[in-house]
């Protein structure tokens, strides 16, 4: 698989070698069980490929935010049990990360065997990217594979540091993310439309600042849109807006104007009399949001306009729900948008944790070409920021670094 200039597991000779694999098993636990094993399942193709080729695996992941100390509820034993069920083979779990248990178990590994280290964030040196800790991790194996795209934007010992001490390649998930996001930012088939919503206005503005120079049309919805509408002089009532970002929003609108590309904002919204699931609601034009009410969803006329505008697109990137989709009474706008994107005759990419959840909720995940597993990481990639966990992987011979152009 092409990974824009980075080695992948297909380039490694792993037979008879111990491979340290950074996986993303940051899964929800409930009553000592894995409540959602999606991320574990997502790692299986890489793990199976390595095992089939005769490797022994040392797996390392974080789970939750233990902040550098041992938190009993965040131990990985339930993860090891679930992984063993899914892989159909024994998974040995140790209670330390690079301590005596881990070292002994790693040294004893035979080809085809799997070892899971304890939660790497139990060690305060992980998030500090401490070189001694990275060297200890590297000492457990002969090769390093990173398949945890979701943490690739963090320079931690198990994502970046360890790659300095071992030959380092991308796993299949990581390679697919790099390939899809590189194509999106560097080589999109045109017309290329970006749909941006959600709540994290500051983060999304940085993404918009880059996309406005690269895409052929922009659509802004969700919570984001309220800041843009206010920056244009529209009174959005009690909707949450970020006054510090009015100038940045105006700059994006100005840039779109200079480039002559369409930038669509909502023309109507579902307004609510308070921020609550059972609030009273009314569909109103954006100019007519009642005082004290707030815009919680992009309205139906706006979604008709979106549907019409994006139809010719050949590439679509969607990040950020177009409403408070978690509440059934406010889920419709985002569901409709997910359907519109799914039905397009375009190559479609969805990024962002909540957006991915919305796509699954709408039941159209199988009709989206790439759903990024990395929330923050995919946004930083689209912004053009080099991701430390990707940069640290070995370049292919003669290949350019997988830097987002
Ligand atoms: P993603 O995780 O896909 O990047 P964000 O985290 O930025 O997206 O935003 C998702 C959140 O934005 C959701 O919790 C959703 O309820 C919220 N949201 C969307 N539209 C609105 C709105 N109009 N008002 C308030 N919150 C909103
Ligand atoms: Mg989110």
């Amino acid at each position: 698989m092409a990974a824009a200039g980075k080695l992948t597991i297909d380039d490694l000779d792993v037979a008879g070698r111990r491979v340290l694999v950074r996986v993303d098993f940051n899964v929800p636990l409930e009553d000592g069980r894995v409540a959602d094993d999606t991320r574990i399942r997502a790692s299986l193709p890489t793990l199976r490929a390595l095992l089939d080729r005769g490797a022994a695996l040392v797996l390392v992941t974080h789970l939750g935010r233990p902040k550098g100390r041992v938190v009993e509820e965040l131990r990985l034993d339930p993860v090891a049990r679930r992984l063993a069920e899914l892989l159909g083979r024994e998974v040995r779990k140790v209670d330390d990360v690079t301590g005596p248990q881990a070292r002994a178990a790693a040294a004893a590994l035979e080809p085809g065997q799997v070892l899971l280290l304890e939660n790497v964030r139990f060690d305060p040196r992980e998030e500090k990217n401490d070189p001694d800790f990275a060297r200890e991790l590297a000492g457990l194996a002969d090769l390093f594979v990173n398949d945890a795209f979701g943490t690739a934007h963090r320079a931690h010992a198990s994502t970046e540091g360890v790659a300095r001490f071992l030959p380092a390649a991308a796993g299949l998930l990581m390679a697919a993310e790099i390939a899809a996001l590189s194509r999106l930012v560097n080589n999109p088939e045109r017309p290329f439309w970006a749909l941006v919503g959600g709540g994290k206005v500051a983060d999304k503005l940085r993404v918009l600042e880059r996309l406005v120079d690269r895409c052929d049309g922009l659509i802004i919805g969700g919570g984001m849109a309220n800041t843009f509408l206010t920056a244009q002089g529209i009174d959005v009532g009690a909707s949450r807006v970020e006054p510090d970002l009015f100038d940045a929003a105006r700059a994006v609108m100005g840039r779109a104007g200079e480039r002559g590309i369409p930038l669509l904002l909502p023309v109507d919204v579902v307004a609510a009399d308070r921020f609550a699931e059972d609030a009273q609601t009314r569909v109103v034009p954006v100019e007519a949001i009642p005082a004290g009410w707030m815009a919680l969803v992009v309205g139906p006329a706006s979604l008709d306009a979106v549907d019409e505008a994006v139809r010719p697109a050949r590439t679509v990137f969607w990040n950020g729900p177009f409403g408070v989709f978690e509440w059934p009474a406010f889920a419709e706008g985002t569901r409709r948008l997910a359907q519109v994107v799914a039905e397009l005759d375009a190559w479609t990419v969805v990024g962002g944790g909540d957006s991915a959840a919305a796509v699954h909720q709408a039941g159209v995940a199988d009709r989206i070409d790439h759903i990024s597993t990395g929330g923050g990481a995919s946004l930083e990639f689209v912004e053009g920021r080099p991701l430390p966990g990707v940069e640290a992987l070995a370049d292919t011979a003669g290949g350019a670094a997988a830097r987002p152009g």
Side-chain angles (χ1 to χ4, degrees):
M1 178 166 324
K6 291 297 180 183
L7 285 193
T8 75
I9 58 168
D10 296 338
D11 304 307
L12 296 181
D13 181 9
V14 301
R17 325 224 25 211
R18 279 173 303 164
V19 184
L20 178 73
V21 188
R22 179 44 160 111
V23 285
D24 177 4
F25 289 169
N26 183 26
V27 294
L29 300 179
E30 261 169 43
D31 307 324
R33 292 179 53 88
V34 173
D36 177 351
D37 63 7
T38 308
R39 286 181 169 161
I40 304 178
R41 286 175 187 276
S43 76
L44 296 177
T46 295
L47 303 186
R48 288 204 176 108
L50 292 168
L51 289 166
D52 288 350
R53 294 172 202 171
L57 304 184
V58 180
L59 308 183
V60 59
T61 183
H62 76 282
L63 192 155
R65 296 168 188 268
K67 306 222 167 101
R69 52 191 184 81
V70 175
V71 176
E72 289 302 327
E73 305 76 62
L74 297 178
R75 286 198 182 273
L76 296 180
D77 300 73
V79 174
R81 284 194 291 274
R82 186 68 192 125
L83 175 63
E85 287 166 12
L86 292 168
L87 266 181
R89 39 178 113 196
E90 198 183 321
V91 173
R92 166 104 201 264
K93 149 81 178 40
V94 286
D95 297 332
D96 55 11
V97 186
T98 59
Q101 254 200 49
R103 289 200 299 274
L109 277 182
E110 300 285 342
Q113 293 186 332
V114 183
L115 169 69
L116 177 63
L117 305 177
E118 187 53 278
N119 191 337
V120 70
R121 288 194 187 163
F122 284 2
D123 194 307
R125 297 174 297 171
E126 160 68 356
E127 292 183 73
K128 292 185 184 130
N129 198 7
D130 179 295
D132 292 329
F133 184 55
R135 196 179 292 113
E136 289 173 20
L137 283 167
L140 300 173
D142 307 307
L143 301 165
F144 174 62
V145 165
N146 192 345
D147 214 19
F149 181 73
T151 47
H153 58 319
R154 310 273 185 232
H156 293 168
S158 71
T159 62
E160 197 272 347
V162 66
R164 297 167 189 260
F165 299 106
L166 289 176
L172 299 174
L173 268 184
M174 174 72 95
E177 291 277 9
I178 297 171
L181 296 173
S182 303
R183 171 176 165 188
L184 185 77
V185 290
N186 296 326
N187 199 17
E189 196 182 331
R190 299 186 178 280
F192 169 25
W193 280 73
L195 284 49
V196 181
K200 293 184 204 138
V201 187
D203 293 357
K204 270 92 205 273
L205 263 163
R206 286 199 303 273
V207 173
L208 283 171
E209 281 161 5
R210 186 141 194 269
L211 289 177
V212 70
D213 278 322
R214 299 191 168 222
C215 67
D216 304 300
L218 270 179
I219 298 175
I220 294 169
M224 285 285 292
N226 294 321
T227 292
F228 276 74
L229 290 167
T230 312
Q232 276 197 324
I234 292 173
D235 179 358
V236 294
S239 307
R240 209 187 77 191
V241 296
E242 305 213 18
D244 292 355
L245 299 173
F246 289 162
D247 285 343
R250 281 188 208 107
V252 166
M253 293 187 277
R255 182 69 189 138
E258 273 166 38
R259 286 196 60 224
I261 62 165
L263 183 152
L264 274 60
L265 286 170
V267 293
D268 64 343
V269 295
V270 179
D273 65 344
R274 61 208 162 90
F275 193 76
E277 207 168 341
D278 58 351
Q280 268 195 68
T281 63
R282 229 186 264 172
V283 175
V284 292
V286 289
E287 297 83 7
I289 299 171
W293 287 48
M294 51 193 75
L296 293 190
V297 194
V298 170
S302 311
L303 289 163
D304 288 343
V306 171
D307 191 355
E308 176 92 28
V310 297
R311 244 182 234 169
R314 297 292 302 151
T315 302
V316 167
F317 174 60
W318 172 27
N319 167 255
F322 270 28
V324 183
F325 75 104
E326 298 94 333
W327 291 339
F330 299 94
E332 181 49 32
T334 304
R335 185 181 311 124
R336 166 118 191 257
L337 183 70
Q339 269 152 4
V340 165
V341 172
E343 275 159 27
L344 289 173
D345 184 20
W347 184 67
T348 51
V349 177
V350 172
D354 291 293
S355 312
V359 163
H360 285 282
Q361 183 180 296
V364 297
D366 58 336
R367 286 189 282 152
I368 303 294
D369 291 291
H370 183 76
I371 301 177
S372 180
T373 54
S378 47
L379 290 188
E380 289 194 20
F381 194 101
V382 172
E383 267 174 52
R385 287 207 256 168
L387 308 184
V390 174
E391 296 291 303
L393 302 176
D395 295 328
T396 49
R403 198 166 277 114

